[in-house]
């Protein structure tokens, strides 16, 4: 196994303190996260970076993972820790309005058909 591959395997394990699952199961790819506290004391560099990213406004879990260059699963563990400590708050992306969801799905379907 190459040194680069070994580093890629070790880093997420170190970032999460060896945990593979978040303490809360509240995140999907479009869940929005926003900074709630600005206190950075005692936070890991990755958690500090999350707060810096979220100070500019809400970001989705997928966007945070992309900015951190970390897998979604690792990002969810970090975000869960930050929710537990009160540093960030979440908001579910999208709406509960069935009509809006149906319209959006129809637009996506129409767009896909136009490309094929």
């Amino acid at each position: 196994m190459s040194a680069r591959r070994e580093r890629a395997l070790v880093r997420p394990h170190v970032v999460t303190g060896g945990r593979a699952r978040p303490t809360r199961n509240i995140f999907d790819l479009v869940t929005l996260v926003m900074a709630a506290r600005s206190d950075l004391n005692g936070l890991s560099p990755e958690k500090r970076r999350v707060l810096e990213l979220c100070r500019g406004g809400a970001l989705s879990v997928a966007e945070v993972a992309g900015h951190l260059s970390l897998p979604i699963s690792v990002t969810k563990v970090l975000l869960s820790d930050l929710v537990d400590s009160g540093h960030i708050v979440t908001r579910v992306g999208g709406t509960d309005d069935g009509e809006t969801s149906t319209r959006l799905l129809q637009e996506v379907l129409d767009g896909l058909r136009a490309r094929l």
Side-chain angles (χ1 to χ4, degrees):
M1 187 179 293
S2 72
R4 182 181 218 193
R5 176 80 175 138
E6 287 178 17
R7 234 186 342 239
L9 291 174
V10 171
R11 186 168 183 258
H13 179 78
V14 172
V15 167
T16 63
R19 292 175 295 127
R21 303 217 190 290
T23 58
R24 298 167 182 256
N25 190 21
I26 58 172
F27 301 104
D28 60 28
L29 294 177
V30 296
T31 300
L32 300 176
V33 294
M34 297 146 284
R37 288 179 35 198
S38 59
D39 176 29
L40 302 176
N41 293 329
L43 296 179
S44 69
E46 293 80 12
K47 290 177 184 175
R48 287 174 183 254
R49 180 73 177 123
V50 170
L51 285 179
E52 290 168 1
L53 290 168
C54 294
R55 281 186 185 150
L59 290 176
S60 71
V61 171
E63 289 172 309
V64 173
H67 285 293
L68 296 176
S69 299
L70 289 172
I72 294 290
S73 59
V74 172
T75 303
K76 287 180 179 182
V77 172
L78 294 174
L79 293 174
S80 180
D81 290 348
L82 290 168
V83 168
D84 290 345
S85 66
H87 284 91
I88 63 169
V89 293
T90 64
R91 187 177 72 202
V92 177
T95 66
D96 291 334
D97 181 2
E99 184 177 323
T100 302
S101 297
T102 303
R103 188 180 74 233
L104 176 62
L105 289 173
Q106 186 61 51
E107 289 174 13
V108 169
L109 182 59
D110 293 343
L112 289 171
R113 285 182 177 153
R115 291 188 57 102
L116 300 175

